[in-house]
Amino acid sequence: MRILVVEDEVDLAHTLRTGLTAEGYSVDLAHDGRQGLWMARTGAYALVVLDLMLPGLNGYKVCAQLRREGNATPVLVLTAKDGDRDQAAALDTGADDYLAKPFSYMVLVARLRALVRRSAATAPPVLAVGDLSLDVAGRVCRRGGVRVDLTPREFAVLELLARHAGQAVSKGDLLYHAWPDEAYDPNLVEVRVSSLRRKVDTAFRRQSLQTVRGTGYRLVDDRERA
């Protein structure tokens, strides 16, 4: 499970990554608000741990922008601003929980687990775009009820496209989502998309996975054309 930590105190950010990795999470770091917003927009994360006093764009604005865009990723605010007004403002902008520094690491981990449980209870178990469905928990893809075998990378690419159905998703976002440790070669995305097309479109005489020139790709419901 991937977590994004947006924290400008570099030492604290790395300490959090070390501790959360030991808990079994995969942790990415951002050290300013603009980078954090860009990374959170990919939809690749189960949780975001967000500081409020960030360079570039503060945490209030990051959280508010995510919610305006319909991004429902749970956000835990972790900050030295511990006044009642600060807490109320963070929750009002869309944060799901709030923990003031200095904090108990045990409490932080417990709150993250609680957010994961809450999110799992409300998240749709299956992403559907037309008759193409993705069981995210089971990692199963079906087209019209017929199972389509995908590699883990292919599934990751298709999942992000399905989460943003009808919208153009950049090659950079797809690359970062599916290859977080190798996010430098767009050819990786092109090869996987070509393979996906053969499996979910060509094999069914469909055209749901579209190229958006100059941007990337989008996934649409193409049943009217089928």
Side-chain angles (χ1 to χ4, degrees), residues 7 27 45 65 78 82 110 112 123 147-148 152 184 217 220 222 226:
E7 170 60 65
V27 182
Y45 300 99
Q65 184 62 32
L78 186 64
D82 61 354
L112 292 178
R147 180 162 179 158
V148 180
Y184 56 85
Y217 305 94
V220 301
D222 70 330

Side-chain angles (χ1 to χ4, degrees), residues 34-96:
R34 295 190 187 282
Q35 181 189 22
L37 176 61
W38 180 84
M39 292 171 71
R41 278 172 166 162
T42 66
Y45 300 99
L47 292 165
V48 175
V49 177
L50 179 67
D51 189 14
L52 291 180
M53 304 307 293
L54 295 166
L57 197 66
N58 68 44
Y60 297 113
K61 293 180 179 178
V62 170
C63 190
Q65 184 62 32
L66 288 174
R67 298 309 186 230
R68 278 196 296 270
E69 294 173 1
N71 188 314
T73 303
V75 173
L76 171 69
V77 166
L78 186 64
T79 179
K81 293 174 70 65
D82 61 354
D84 290 345
R85 291 181 182 274
D86 300 314
Q87 182 171 347
L91 295 172
D92 284 342
T93 59
D96 298 275

Side-chain angles (χ1 to χ4, degrees), residues 89-122:
L91 295 172
D92 284 342
T93 59
D96 298 275
D97 202 354
Y98 188 104
L99 191 59
K101 301 174 185 176
F103 58 92
S104 162
Y105 183 74
M106 183 183 299
V107 172
L108 170 65
V109 172
R111 291 195 177 193
L112 292 178
R113 286 198 297 261
L115 285 176
V116 169
R117 290 195 301 270
R118 194 181 312 161
S119 176
T122 58

